[in-house]
Amino acid sequence: MVRKIIILLFLFLLMNILLTFKSEKDIPAFNYIDSRENDYDIYVLSFPNLNTFNIINYFNDFDIQILGIYPKINPLYENKVKNKLKYYSFEKGDLSNNVNRFTEYYLSILSNLGLNGEKEKIYLNGIKILKVKVYASNQELSRFMKRYSNITYR
């Protein structure tokens, strides 16, 4: 009886050793390189000195779609226009047309409030823009960030 148990244990150990050293080929379930450079996402870019006059120059050479802008509002009349001007959504189409529509909208709100002095400042200096919401690929955003290193995003 003891002899049969020893033989069974020996066979079990031998089988275990043979199975351990047997080489198996790993076959991948899918074969691709996990690259996120072509993934698209929505980013909010913060600019130190962006306005409606120079926004087109920033985005001319890039394949980045602008979804909207967050303008800087003067603290003197911020409480009156905060709900209307906190964020302005762009329509699909040409960037310069969207900027012109935004400028007209902004100026009409200032006119309704009787802030004609502020309108003249905008005609001279443009509307300051704090942040821009964009839809872009990781690759295009990294190209953009290399050119303009003073911009932050989240």
Side-chain angles (χ1 to χ4, degrees), residues 11-68:
L11 286 175
F12 179 72
L13 183 64
L14 184 64
M15 291 289 283
N16 216 359
I17 291 172
L18 289 176
L19 289 176
T20 304
F21 290 117
K22 181 182 175 186
S23 65
E24 294 181 13
K25 290 185 179 180
D26 292 334
I27 301 172
F30 40 86
N31 191 8
Y32 70 93
I33 298 173
D34 187 16
S35 174
R36 295 185 44 92
E37 68 183 26
N38 291 326
D39 287 353
Y40 282 78
D41 206 354
I42 295 174
Y43 301 96
V44 178
L45 307 175
S46 298
F47 294 82
N49 54 1
L50 185 68
N51 61 41
T52 52
F53 291 155
N54 64 6
I55 188 171
I56 297 169
N57 297 336
Y58 273 95
F59 292 97
N60 246 356
D61 300 333
F62 298 97
D63 185 24
I64 295 176
Q65 180 183 357
I66 298 179
L67 301 176

Side-chain angles (χ1 to χ4, degrees), residues 103-113 119:
T103 304
E104 290 170 6
Y105 176 70
Y106 195 94
L107 292 173
S108 70
I109 290 174
L110 293 180
S111 290
N112 292 342
L113 294 173
K119 284 176 54 176

Side-chain angles (χ1 to χ4, degrees), residues 72-87:
K72 181 174 182 176
I73 302 171
N74 191 330
L76 296 175
Y77 54 86
E78 181 177 15
N79 291 337
K80 296 177 184 175
V81 298
K82 191 174 189 176
N83 294 336
K84 297 177 185 175
L85 292 175
K86 189 174 184 179
Y87 174 77

